[in-house]
């Protein structure tokens, strides 16, 4: 099994593949002013197995384009949508977020939970803006520094892995510079990381076994 297959396997059975929570998705929907709108067309970019895509289809009766680079995740989402009777509302699209075959001015909302970092926050918000209709909404979750007083080891790690991490103020200022008007900003509560993201991963990792030795059969 290669690394990607292993990672896909580890994540595919979980409700989410990143930090977040159904309550937070619903709160963001309300803050974004999407409740009570009809005929919405929403793209969920980097949707994974579709935790939020299913909510848009169910709660808003929206038409959802669920985009992910990994067809295995989309297959899980299709099963999930079918079981919830939402298949007609959700169209899956296997595509890379930096090369989306979407029409200009075609979306009421672009949603991306825990995924935009794959192309970089700044690249993402610039590249996706043309797909929004006038007045359309962008909702993204992104790694953010909450304090300038940071342990050196953690700072060094993120400077190496994802130097784009910024403060909330800098991130909002960047959005304004690129034509967005801020509606709301909120830190995800810890439960979204610990319980909804890390715990299922930890359980999955425990379930992984080293393959048996081909000569002696021992693990
Ligand atoms: C941390 S997961 C978040 C998934 C989902 N939004 C959630 O909150 O459960 C990031 C997702 O981005 C997808 N992804 C990574 N690179 C991508 C790319 N270049 N284009 C589209 N999707 C990508 C991954 O397959 C994965 O499903």
């Amino acid at each position: 099994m290669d690394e990607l297959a292993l990672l896909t396997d580890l994540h595919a059975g979980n409700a989410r593949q990143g930090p977040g929570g159904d309550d937070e998705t619903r709160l963001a929907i309300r803050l974004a002013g999407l409740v009570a709108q009809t005929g919405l067309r929403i793209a969920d970019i980097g949707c994974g197995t579709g935790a939020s895509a299913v909510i848009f289809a169910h709660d808003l009766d929206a038409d959802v384009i669920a985009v992910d680079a990994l067809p295995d995740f989309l297959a899980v989402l299709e099963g999930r949508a079918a079981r919830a009777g939402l298949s007609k509302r959700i169209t899956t699209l296997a595509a890379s977020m930096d090369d989306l075959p979407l029409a200009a001015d075609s979306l009421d909302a672009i949603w991306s939970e825990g995924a935009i970092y794959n192309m970089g926050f700044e690249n993402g918000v610039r590249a996706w803006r043309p797909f929004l209709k006038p007045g359309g909404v962008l909702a993204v979750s992104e790694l953010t520094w909450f304090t300038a007083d940071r342990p050196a080891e953690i700072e060094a790690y993120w400077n190496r892995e994802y130097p784009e991490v910024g403060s909330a103020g800098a991130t909002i200022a960047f959005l304004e510079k690129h034509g967005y008007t801020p509606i709301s900003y909120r830190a995800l509560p810890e439960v979204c990381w610990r319980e909804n993201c890390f715990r299922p991963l930890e359980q999955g990792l425990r379930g992984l076994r080293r393959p048996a030795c081909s000569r002696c059969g021992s693990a």
Side-chain angles (χ1 to χ4, degrees):
M1 194 182 247
D2 66 22
E3 233 173 69
L4 181 62
L6 196 64
L7 266 174
T8 310
D9 236 36
L10 188 61
H11 283 279
N14 298 338
R16 294 181 167 270
Q17 287 66 49
D22 292 358
D23 290 347
E24 282 65 34
T25 299
R26 290 193 166 101
L27 175 60
I29 286 173
R30 288 198 298 279
L31 292 170
L34 297 175
V35 176
Q37 291 199 39
T38 54
L40 290 171
R41 194 157 182 268
I42 302 177
D44 183 2
I45 302 179
C47 63
T49 61
S52 30
V54 167
I55 291 179
F56 307 138
H58 177 268
D59 291 20
L60 302 175
D61 203 23
D63 281 323
V64 183
I65 305 157
V67 184
D68 204 278
L70 293 182
D72 285 356
F73 285 171
L74 296 177
V76 175
L77 167 52
E78 283 161 10
R80 213 168 168 179
R83 285 191 296 282
L86 296 169
S87 297
K88 281 199 184 134
R89 286 276 166 243
I90 300 179
T91 306
T92 57
L93 173 62
S96 186
M97 60 175 72
D98 54 7
D99 187 22
L100 292 170
L102 299 173
D105 294 342
S106 64
L107 299 170
D108 298 288
I110 293 178
W111 211 271
S112 188
E113 294 190 25
I116 196 170
Y117 72 91
N118 284 292
M119 67 181 287
F121 180 82
E122 300 191 0
N123 287 336
V125 300
R126 264 198 305 253
W128 298 348
R129 193 170 188 283
F131 303 131
L132 284 174
K133 294 177 185 172
V137 172
L138 171 77
V140 288
S141 61
E142 170 68 338
L143 283 167
T144 305
W145 292 122
F146 295 136
T147 169
D149 182 18
R150 307 189 278 260
E153 192 182 351
I154 292 180
E155 177 124 24
Y157 175 83
W158 285 110
N159 283 341
R160 194 173 62 242
E161 296 298 324
Y162 189 55
E164 214 181 302
V165 181
S167 66
T171 304
I172 291 169
F174 180 85
L175 287 167
E176 287 177 318
K177 186 174 151 203
H178 288 277
Y180 295 91
T181 305
I183 300 175
S184 178
Y185 156 77
R186 188 169 181 270
L188 282 179
E190 210 170 301
V191 64
C192 291
W193 287 93
R194 279 193 193 282
E195 301 304 323
N196 300 350
C197 182
F198 294 143
R199 195 174 302 285
L201 262 187
E202 192 183 33
Q203 281 163 356
L205 281 169
R206 274 204 216 105
L208 290 179
R209 295 276 178 270
R210 282 206 311 198
C213 167
S214 56
R215 269 180 288 181
C216 67
S218 68

